Amino acid sequence: IPSSRFGAVSFMRVRPQEIEDYGSYEYFTGMTGANPRWSKNHKHSQPIVPGPVGELSVIWNDYLGRWIMTYLNEEKKRIEIRESREPWGPWSSALELVSGREYPGLYGAFLHPDLNSGRGRVLYYTMSLWAPYNVFVMRSEIQKR
């Protein structure tokens, strides 16, 4: 995502041993049939999730057998969650994970694979609040559709 909380999500990849070599990064540019396309030029990247997206977090979830993504939707004042079979998508429609009506000033729901139980059926994640300015551990139970 670009700086701020209003951009779309793009996807890039790099080999771990080349993480410090900016020229080694490849950017997702779309699909040709079932195959993803890649480019070395970030200007060719195609968003995988529309904005507004802030404080993005993505992990693999064994319970769903899918990738899950959480982020702040500043316009709707909520933390949203999506799922996908592949990290480049297609991603599901956004669902509300945490409401700003219940937690005013929320942001940054960050996932960690070690903070789950039931193979990922129960998610634990950190979420920040402006008032009181602090980080909280949250818990959500997910269900397969």
Side-chain angles (χ1 to χ4, degrees), residues 39-80:
S39 172
K40 294 278 189 181
N41 187 337
H42 70 85
K43 293 178 182 178
H44 297 151
S45 69
Q46 175 181 317
I48 59 172
V49 170
V53 171
E55 290 92 34
L56 175 68
S57 185
V58 179
I59 65 169
W60 176 256
N61 183 279
D62 283 334
Y63 173 70
L64 295 175
R66 295 173 180 258
W67 294 93
I68 57 173
M69 163 190 300
T70 58
Y71 58 89
L72 172 67
N73 182 325
E74 180 79 17
E75 290 176 358
K76 294 184 178 179
K77 302 201 180 330
R78 67 187 197 175
I79 301 294
E80 295 183 338

Side-chain angles (χ1 to χ4, degrees), residues 86-108:
E86 301 293 345
W88 51 79
W91 287 88
S92 68
S93 299
L95 297 173
E96 182 177 87
L97 183 63
V98 183
S99 169
R101 292 179 306 283
E102 293 180 62
Y103 298 95
L106 59 75
Y107 67 100

Side-chain angles (χ1 to χ4, degrees), residues 4-145:
S4 80
R5 295 180 170 155
F6 298 98
V9 178
S10 294
F11 184 74
M12 65 182 175
R13 68 181 184 180
V14 67
R15 290 180 180 88
Q17 64 272 22
E18 296 174 330
I19 199 163
E20 294 181 8
D21 179 8
Y22 188 69
S24 294
Y25 285 76
E26 294 180 319
Y27 301 86
F28 175 75
T29 62
M31 300 292 291
T32 300
N35 299 314
R37 291 189 318 266
W38 304 95
S39 172
K40 294 278 189 181
N41 187 337
H42 70 85
K43 293 178 182 178
H44 297 151
S45 69
Q46 175 181 317
I48 59 172
V49 170
V53 171
E55 290 92 34
L56 175 68
S57 185
V58 179
I59 65 169
W60 176 256
N61 183 279
D62 283 334
Y63 173 70
L64 295 175
R66 295 173 180 258
W67 294 93
I68 57 173
M69 163 190 300
T70 58
Y71 58 89
L72 172 67
N73 182 325
E74 180 79 17
E75 290 176 358
K76 294 184 178 179
K77 302 201 180 330
R78 67 187 197 175
I79 301 294
E80 295 183 338
I81 187 168
R82 294 175 184 251
E83 64 178 82
S84 175
R85 287 191 176 125
E86 301 293 345
W88 51 79
W91 287 88
S92 68
S93 299
L95 297 173
E96 182 177 87
L97 183 63
V98 183
S99 169
R101 292 179 306 283
E102 293 180 62
Y103 298 95
L106 59 75
Y107 67 100
F110 295 107
L111 302 161
H112 191 285
D114 292 340
L115 298 178
N116 296 318
S117 64
R119 293 188 37 226
R121 185 179 54 77
V122 179
L123 299 177
Y124 291 91
Y125 48 94
T126 60
M127 184 183 77
S128 299
L129 291 176
W130 280 109
Y133 188 71
N134 214 330
V135 178
F136 298 87
V137 176
M138 303 293 287
R139 177 187 188 275
S140 296
E141 199 166 315
I142 58 176
Q143 296 178 356
K144 293 181 182 179
R145 297 194 246 173

